Amino acid sequence: MTRMSTLSAMITVLLLLSAASTLIADTPALTDPPRHDFPRVGEYEVLCGDFHMHTVNSDGEQTTREKVLEAYNYGYDAIAITDHGTARSYRLAASLARPLGLIVLRGAEMDIRDRPHLVVLNVSADYQPRNPRWAAGPGEENAFYQDQMREIRLAGGLIVYAHPHAGFTDAVQWGIAEGIVRGVEVKNAEVGSGYDTVESHGTYCYPFAFDWALDHDLALFANSDSHNARSGDQPVTLVLVKERSPSGVTEAIRELRTVAWFKGMLWGREELLSKLIESTVKVRRTPEGILVENCGPVALTAALTGVAGNLIEIEPYGEKLIGAEAGGDTISVTWQNVWISPRENLRSAFDVTTR
């Protein structure tokens, strides 16, 4: 090797070391994530997920490493990085997440001529998108959306309708009928008041998508769609899994075992939310009165029937003593921040026999 080539090699190594040290310096440090555990719901473990986010591999501002560590610091258990038209982030994300106990689904985001945006989840490497923007009909230069959806199904994946601003389009309905579109976002933090959101329930969201989910057997999602560093409260998709793995998360989504948690609310199906609340809330009579205990990370607002001063808030992992004046062995509760449709709160009844 000549002196010049040796010098060139040394300079290359120094540049690489400099780049690596800069990357490490810019990477967020690991912190203890906030407590976010729920009690088990029967055979299911409750995971906190975010299944829509972007990195520098498309139009995001953070690296894959930054995104994974940030998700861990925020307390997520399962994520998908969904860059536009590519799953390039997946391999690195999965390797970084594994020692942290964080589940990563292989994902990407596609769209059909700028209208419906579709998040692809848990698709195997067998699926290689021809282009990120699908054609609305056959015979066009870009890939036809029906052909691409079929390939996604063959590769074991599913689709979530992201920020559903385009409406209940023919393409989305076709994907639902084929069993490929399996979920819809009712909350997307990135779009704010844009993308045809509706000001409802104290925030901007998609209450009409809640109705779609109930009417067409779709899983509910609350995702960040994060393109840069997170700040403040973040939406969460709760997933009730039999197994803590990518396949376990995917099975739960297909079986509609998801709940959207955002802006202090829980949105979901009545049967699932009833079981979640039953596992999370303990109500019993004591000599001092009725004690209501919240064993989960969501503050709950409860209207209790037949109890003076009946509207109470129970802080996460907190308890509330509400007095001894309620008679009978059963107490009825309407959960003011738990929604089983855009128009109806969940109701529960608890046995308060002394025990």
Side-chain angles (χ1 to χ4, degrees), residues 145 149 153 170-182:
Y145 78 86
M149 285 189 184
R153 178 170 56 193
D170 290 344
V172 170
Q173 293 182 58
W174 185 89
I176 292 171
E178 292 291 315
I180 306 166
V181 175
R182 300 297 297 140

Side-chain angles (χ1 to χ4, degrees), residues 35 261 293-300 313-319:
R35 186 178 178 187
W261 171 18
E293 183 181 2
N294 180 0
C295 302
V298 183
L300 296 169
E313 181 164 319
I314 313 109
E315 293 298 323
Y317 309 110
E319 57 185 33

Side-chain angles (χ1 to χ4, degrees), residues 105-127:
L105 271 61
R106 193 171 187 269
E109 184 175 1
M110 311 295 177
D111 68 77
I112 303 174
R113 284 187 173 172
D114 290 327
R115 293 302 293 164
H117 285 224
L118 306 170
V119 167
V120 179
L121 295 178
N122 201 51
V123 68
S124 73
D126 293 337
Y127 173 69

Side-chain angles (χ1 to χ4, degrees), residues 82-193:
T82 54
D83 285 310
H84 294 278
T86 179
R88 189 178 299 127
S89 294
Y90 170 72
R91 186 173 294 181
L92 175 58
S95 65
L96 291 168
R98 194 171 298 113
L100 301 175
L102 186 62
I103 300 165
V104 179
L105 271 61
R106 193 171 187 269
E109 184 175 1
M110 311 295 177
D111 68 77
I112 303 174
R113 284 187 173 172
D114 290 327
R115 293 302 293 164
H117 285 224
L118 306 170
V119 167
V120 179
L121 295 178
N122 201 51
V123 68
S124 73
D126 293 337
Y127 173 69
Q128 295 295 329
R130 280 178 47 193
N131 31 57
R133 183 160 299 152
W134 299 337
E140 300 184 24
E141 182 178 352
N142 285 11
F144 181 33
Y145 78 86
Q146 292 186 7
D147 295 335
Q148 290 294 288
M149 285 189 184
R150 289 189 185 101
E151 288 187 27
I152 287 165
R153 178 170 56 193
L154 288 172
L158 57 84
I159 289 174
V160 176
Y161 188 6
H163 43 73
H165 61 290
F168 203 49
T169 66
D170 290 344
V172 170
Q173 293 182 58
W174 185 89
I176 292 171
E178 292 291 315
I180 306 166
V181 175
R182 300 297 297 140
V184 62
E185 289 182 346
V186 295
K187 176 63 178 180
N188 179 297
E190 180 71 15
V191 300
S193 60

Side-chain angles (χ1 to χ4, degrees), residues 40-288:
R40 289 188 69 88
V41 180
E43 65 179 312
Y44 305 123
E45 181 181 0
V46 183
L47 303 183
C48 294
D50 182 8
F51 302 101
H52 187 179
M53 64 186 77
H54 300 271
T55 72
V56 293
N57 284 316
S58 60
D59 57 348
E61 296 182 2
Q62 291 178 289
T63 65
T64 302
R65 182 183 298 273
E66 288 170 329
K67 220 65 192 152
V68 169
L69 298 186
E70 180 187 67
Y72 174 82
N73 288 343
Y74 264 82
Y76 288 105
D77 302 300
I79 64 169
I81 295 176
T82 54
D83 285 310
H84 294 278
T86 179
R88 189 178 299 127
S89 294
Y90 170 72
R91 186 173 294 181
L92 175 58
S95 65
L96 291 168
R98 194 171 298 113
L100 301 175
L102 186 62
I103 300 165
V104 179
L105 271 61
R106 193 171 187 269
E109 184 175 1
M110 311 295 177
D111 68 77
I112 303 174
R113 284 187 173 172
D114 290 327
R115 293 302 293 164
H117 285 224
L118 306 170
V119 167
V120 179
L121 295 178
N122 201 51
V123 68
S124 73
D126 293 337
Y127 173 69
Q128 295 295 329
R130 280 178 47 193
N131 31 57
R133 183 160 299 152
W134 299 337
E140 300 184 24
E141 182 178 352
N142 285 11
F144 181 33
Y145 78 86
Q146 292 186 7
D147 295 335
Q148 290 294 288
M149 285 189 184
R150 289 189 185 101
E151 288 187 27
I152 287 165
R153 178 170 56 193
L154 288 172
L158 57 84
I159 289 174
V160 176
Y161 188 6
H163 43 73
H165 61 290
F168 203 49
T169 66
D170 290 344
V172 170
Q173 293 182 58
W174 185 89
I176 292 171
E178 292 291 315
I180 306 166
V181 175
R182 300 297 297 140
V184 62
E185 289 182 346
V186 295
K187 176 63 178 180
N188 179 297
E190 180 71 15
V191 300
S193 60
Y195 274 65
D196 292 328
T197 54
V198 175
E199 189 173 6
S200 180
H201 297 73
T203 186
Y204 287 93
C205 55
Y206 295 102
F208 54 84
F210 195 170
D211 285 327
W212 295 350
L214 297 178
D215 292 341
H216 299 281
D217 293 332
L218 300 174
L220 282 79
F221 285 78
N223 289 328
S224 71
D225 193 7
S226 162
H227 286 66
N228 43 40
R230 301 173 190 264
S231 62
D233 292 337
Q234 295 289 300
V236 176
T237 301
L238 300 180
V239 188
L240 281 69
V241 302
K242 294 179 180 178
E243 176 187 282
R244 193 183 178 100
S245 67
S247 61
V249 171
T250 304
E251 186 271 340
I253 293 170
R254 292 189 189 279
E255 295 301 317
L256 311 182
R257 294 196 308 271
T258 67
V259 172
W261 171 18
F262 63 99
K263 294 297 182 182
M265 297 180 289
L266 296 173
W267 287 19
R269 286 176 165 76
E270 182 175 9
E271 181 180 2
L272 191 63
L273 281 173
S274 294
K275 292 176 180 178
L276 180 65
I277 291 296
E278 182 180 343
S279 297
T280 303
V281 177
K282 307 301 177 187
V283 182
R284 66 183 185 276
R285 191 183 298 279
T286 70
E288 294 77 26

